[in-house]
């Protein structure tokens, strides 16, 4: 009843107005902070304000920065870019290492004989077609063991062995020779020899044998050293001469040894049972 | 009624502006005491009651949005001191009274924050921005009074 009897003077109205504003603000802010829908709207407004403020602040900073400060910052970014370039190169190399090893591991698990994983530690000058690997006599490496990459693609064989390293001559080397056959057949039909270039020469192919471009050429295993079935490459072209004793063909290797840093040495004389 | 609603919306706008926009600006602009200077203009041009309510609400809600320690104490002190100064010292409606009120209350505001702030020179920039802001805010209030008498009624 006391409230009804209050005289509403100007001062009373003023105080009521102030109190009303106070209560209204409190209710509104509590609602904004507590009701998810309203607080979501408030947060979007606030994040908009923050974006504007940050943009304005950065623009002002950019306009008022001294030349020395800019030079220092530029030099700092250059250093970071150089470090990132080194990191990027290391990362790329590591990635390649991992991919190569994964492929070799997958092949190693299916190969029915002993294998020795190895890294290429040096390459010869262009045209020499030899590589140096980090496994040698102490690791069980012997001459004429096949060297493969990826999933069993032969790239060469061990030519000389030292205590801890070995030299591998690639299939393209002029002294390289590997007895081969066409995949799917049982007899040896030729000998693949390096010519010092990219293509391999395949000779001693009997005239009666039908051979076509893109046929897959694999090791025949005739010499008892290289396991049979290792992929050498694809037939690139065939030279038929009816008057000659044998046909000739050129084989294109599927992989270039320059693209790899990890290889697998196959030792068929140490068979895993 | 409408005046209360308008002041409520103005408070919320000033609160978000200080906590989000001003705080995101680089130095020295992040020292602008936006909520404080609008509160001073509201206190002087409307009723002291509105100003007291403004500063009390600032003390309650600003710490939830900003990272400033001790800001609530500064606003409570300003609310109390402001009501006394409006009642006994700066009683007329001139621009000089407004600037005097603003300067006096800002000195109190800054002195309390000195105990909590690590970069005290920001308070000096804040004083300059507060004086410029109060003068500008008063001009904006006078301008809007011509067209929105319902919102900003001149106290008699």
């Amino acid at each position: 009843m006391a409230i009804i009897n209050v005289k509403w003077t100007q001062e009373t109205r003023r105080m009521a107005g102030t109190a009303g504003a106070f209560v209204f603000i409190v209710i509104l802010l509590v609602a904004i902070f507590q009701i998810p829908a309203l607080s979501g709207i408030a947060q979007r407004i606030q994040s908009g304000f923050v974006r504007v403020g940050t943009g304005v602040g950065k623009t002002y900073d950019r306009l008022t920065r001294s030349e020395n400060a800019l030079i220092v910052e530029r030099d700092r970014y250059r250093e970071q870019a150089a470090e990132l370039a080194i990191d990027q190169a290391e990362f790329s190399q590591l990635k390649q290492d991992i991919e190569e090893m994964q492929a070799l591991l997958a092949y190693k698990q299916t190969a029915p004989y002993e294998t020795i994983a190895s890294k290429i530690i040096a390459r010869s000058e262009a045209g020499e077609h030899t590589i140096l690997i980090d496994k040698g006599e102490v690791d069980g490496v012997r001459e004429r063991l096949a060297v493969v990459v990826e999933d069993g693609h032969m790239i060469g064989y061990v030519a000389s062995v030292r205590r801890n390293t070995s030299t591998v001559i690639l299939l393209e080397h002029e002294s390289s020779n590997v007895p081969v056959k066409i995949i799917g057949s049982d007899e040896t039909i030729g000998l693949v020899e390096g010519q010092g270039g990219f293509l391999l020469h395949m000779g001693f192919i009997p005239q009666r044998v039908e051979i076509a471009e893109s046929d897959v050429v694999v090791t025949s295993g005739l010499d008892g050293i290289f396991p049979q079935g290792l992929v050498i490459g694809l037939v690139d072209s065939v030279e038929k001469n009816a008057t000659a004793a044998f046909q000739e063909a050129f084989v294109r290797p599927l992989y270039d040894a320059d693209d790899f840093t990890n290889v697998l040495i196959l030792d068929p004389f140490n068979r895993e049972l | 009624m409408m005046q209360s609603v308008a002041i409520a919306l103005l408070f919320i706008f000033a609160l978000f502006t200080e906590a989000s926009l001003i705080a995101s600006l680089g130095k020295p602009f992040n020292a602008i005491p936006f909520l404080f200077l609008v509160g001073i203009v509201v206190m002087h041009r409307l009723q002291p009651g509105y100003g007291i309510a403004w500063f009390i609400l600032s003390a309650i809600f600003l710490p939830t949005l900003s990272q400033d320690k001790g800001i609530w104490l500064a606003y409570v002190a300003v609310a109390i001191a402001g009501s006394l100064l409006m009642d006994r010292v700066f009683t007329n409606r001139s621009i000089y009274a407004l600037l005097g009120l603003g300067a006096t209350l800002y000195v109190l505001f800054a002195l309390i924050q000195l105990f909590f702030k690590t970069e005290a020179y920001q308070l000096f920039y804040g004083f300059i921005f507060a004086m410029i802001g109060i003068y500008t805010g008063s001009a904006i209030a006078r301008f809007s009074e011509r067209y929105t008498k319902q919102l900003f009624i001149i106290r008699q």
Side-chain angles (χ1 to χ4, degrees):
Chain A
M1 296 300 119
I3 294 172
I4 296 169
N5 289 333
V6 166
K7 263 183 145 179
W8 287 97
T9 62
Q10 200 176 21
E11 187 61 33
T12 316
R13 277 183 226 279
R14 225 176 262 143
M15 285 172 60
T18 307
F22 186 93
V23 169
F24 184 72
I25 291 174
V26 170
I27 291 171
L28 195 57
L29 281 171
V30 167
I32 285 173
F33 289 137
Q34 296 298 323
I35 297 175
L38 288 179
S39 69
I41 295 169
Q43 279 164 14
R44 269 198 283 275
I45 294 170
Q46 280 186 274
S47 71
F49 276 0
V50 168
R51 269 201 298 275
V52 168
T54 307
V56 169
K58 278 185 180 167
T59 305
Y60 173 78
D61 190 45
R62 218 175 292 133
L63 290 171
T64 56
R65 214 179 300 172
S66 69
E67 190 182 340
N68 281 342
L70 283 171
I71 290 171
V72 165
E73 195 175 349
R74 181 204 64 191
D75 291 342
R76 184 164 52 91
Y77 283 132
R78 273 189 185 161
E79 269 179 43
Q80 280 180 356
E83 283 169 18
L84 281 170
I86 293 169
D87 288 344
Q88 176 73 17
E90 280 179 15
F91 171 73
S92 296
Q93 184 57 48
L94 283 170
K95 189 167 171 254
Q96 184 186 350
D97 273 351
I98 289 169
E99 285 169 359
E100 285 178 17
M101 284 182 187
Q102 279 173 339
L104 288 175
L105 181 63
Y107 175 71
K108 183 181 163 80
Q109 284 169 344
T110 59
Y113 27 71
E114 192 73 20
T115 57
I116 305 168
S118 178
K119 278 191 176 302
I120 298 173
I121 55 176
R123 298 182 201 273
S124 60
E125 291 174 3
E128 296 291 322
H129 301 294
T130 61
I131 55 176
L132 190 68
I133 58 175
D134 67 348
K135 292 290 190 295
E137 196 180 340
V138 297
D139 305 294
V141 179
R142 298 187 305 285
E143 288 183 9
R144 293 289 288 189
L145 292 184
V147 177
V148 303
V149 293
E150 283 287 314
D151 46 355
H153 289 82
M154 185 172 173
I155 59 165
Y157 54 88
V158 179
S160 62
V161 183
R162 285 168 289 284
R163 186 171 165 73
N164 292 304
T165 59
S166 303
T167 300
V168 172
I169 62 167
L170 304 176
L171 293 174
E172 296 90 332
H173 195 278
E174 284 168 355
S175 63
S176 152
N177 56 82
V178 179
V180 296
K181 63 179 182 179
I182 299 299
I183 195 169
S185 69
D186 291 327
E187 59 172 325
T188 298
I189 61 150
L191 190 72
V192 159
E193 295 167 310
Q195 300 183 97
F198 181 64
L199 290 179
L200 310 174
H201 178 261
M202 184 171 167
F204 304 107
I205 307 169
Q207 288 286 359
R208 59 179 168 76
V209 173
E210 288 296 322
I211 181 170
E213 285 181 16
S214 299
D215 278 348
V216 180
V217 177
V218 298
T219 53
S220 65
L222 177 71
D223 55 357
I225 300 173
F226 302 134
Q228 70 164 319
L230 300 180
V231 176
I232 299 289
L234 301 177
V235 175
D236 186 72
S237 58
V238 182
E239 287 186 5
K240 283 183 187 288
N241 186 348
T243 61
F246 296 100
Q247 296 179 75
E248 290 184 349
F250 289 94
V251 178
R252 181 168 22 95
L254 284 175
Y255 290 103
D256 186 353
D258 286 345
D259 295 335
F260 295 90
T261 55
N262 295 284
V263 298
L264 209 59
I265 305 164
L266 305 183
D267 189 352
F269 294 107
N270 284 327
R271 287 178 185 272
E272 288 180 349
L273 297 172
Chain B
M1 171 71 179
M2 284 303 298
Q3 192 174 48
S4 301
V5 171
I7 290 172
L9 294 175
L10 181 64
F11 177 81
I12 293 167
F13 171 75
L15 181 68
F16 284 164
T17 302
E18 166 123 1
S20 302
L21 179 64
I22 304 288
S24 303
L25 296 173
K27 292 176 188 174
F29 299 106
N30 56 359
I32 299 173
F34 191 74
L35 204 55
F36 171 86
L37 63 93
V38 175
I40 293 290
V41 174
V42 165
M43 180 179 248
H44 190 262
R45 293 209 67 82
L46 298 177
Q47 308 165 29
Y50 281 133
I52 294 165
W54 183 285
F55 292 126
I56 297 294
L57 287 166
S58 299
I60 296 169
F61 290 105
L62 191 58
T64 62
L65 295 173
S66 80
Q67 308 296 316
D68 281 338
K69 294 191 188 64
I71 196 91
W72 66 272
L73 187 60
Y75 274 112
V76 168
V78 162
I80 298 168
S83 69
L84 292 170
L85 287 171
M86 282 296 294
D87 199 34
R88 292 161 205 268
V89 182
F90 303 107
T91 53
N92 63 36
R93 297 297 309 271
S94 69
I95 188 67
Y96 306 106
L98 173 63
L99 291 172
L101 177 70
T104 311
L105 288 179
Y106 188 82
V107 167
L108 175 65
F109 186 71
L111 279 173
I112 293 172
Q113 288 200 80
L114 267 176
F115 292 103
F116 302 98
K117 270 199 183 313
T118 52
E119 290 176 325
Y121 71 90
Q122 292 276 74
L123 296 170
F124 172 72
Y125 286 126
F127 178 79
I128 297 171
F129 287 129
M131 291 299 104
I132 296 170
I134 287 169
Y135 185 82
T136 311
S138 172
I140 293 171
R142 276 200 307 274
F143 175 80
S144 63
E145 274 168 17
R146 287 186 213 140
Y147 299 99
T148 54
K149 283 198 175 163
Q150 292 283 338
L151 294 177
F152 287 94
I153 299 171
I154 298 173
R155 184 170 63 103
Q156 293 181 1

